[in-house]
Amino acid sequence: MAYNEKLTNRVREALAHLPKVEEKRMFSGVTFMVNGKMCISVGNDRIMCRIDPALHEEALDRGHCRTVLMKSREYKGYIYVDEAGIKTKKDFDYWVGLSLDFNKRAKATPKKKKKHL
């Protein structure tokens, strides 16, 4: 899996003060789980942020980002932010802040039950 180590370290530093952060390899990069919930994922040239769906359109208006699409389905509340949109500390802090703010209220993704044959 290709991911940007420099960007990964920036996210690591931003989340270092939190007690329950776990790193997992997923979404073609490194995903930071906060309180057992997906928060931020780092890819090659972007981050994926999980934000409040009510702020989705407002976040897109900021630029340098796009909606996450999987199998032609739009995922409101999941935003890809291109590296150009997180170059400055202010921009980076904005996206990390949105993700952490929503993480406090977000529900954990339900665990898939294993099928027993």
Side-chain angles (χ1 to χ4, degrees):
M1 288 182 234
Y3 64 94
N4 183 320
E5 189 64 40
K6 184 177 178 182
L7 193 49
T8 301
N9 286 334
R10 284 179 74 192
V11 174
R12 237 179 235 128
E13 288 175 23
L15 303 179
H17 68 283
L18 299 170
K20 294 183 180 179
V21 178
E22 180 184 357
E23 293 182 32
K24 290 187 174 186
R25 306 278 180 188
M26 54 195 286
F27 300 117
S28 299
V30 177
T31 296
F32 291 86
M33 307 292 287
V34 177
N35 300 318
K37 300 173 262 185
M38 182 271 177
C39 187
I40 298 173
S41 292
V42 180
N44 188 34
D45 59 352
R46 50 100 183 125
I47 61 175
M48 181 173 75
C49 299
R50 184 179 183 200
I51 65 169
D52 186 337
L55 300 176
H56 191 89
E57 297 303 320
E58 180 182 321
L60 289 175
D61 289 343
R62 189 172 180 90
H64 298 291
C65 61
R66 61 193 183 283
T67 300
V68 172
L69 295 171
M70 285 189 239
K71 297 180 181 179
S72 300
R73 181 175 170 219
E74 180 179 41
Y75 284 79
K76 294 260 184 195
Y78 291 87
I79 302 276
Y80 283 129
V81 185
D82 299 324
E83 209 166 9
I86 51 177
K87 282 191 177 199
T88 68
K89 181 173 178 2
K90 182 179 178 181
D91 288 336
F92 182 78
D93 290 347
Y94 170 80
W95 292 107
V96 170
L98 273 184
S99 297
L100 289 175
D101 182 54
F102 182 63
N103 185 269
K104 295 172 192 169
R105 302 183 317 273
K107 293 180 181 178
T109 303
K111 304 274 186 214
K112 289 184 180 180
K113 292 183 181 181
K114 293 181 182 180
K115 293 182 181 181
H116 297 285
L117 298 175

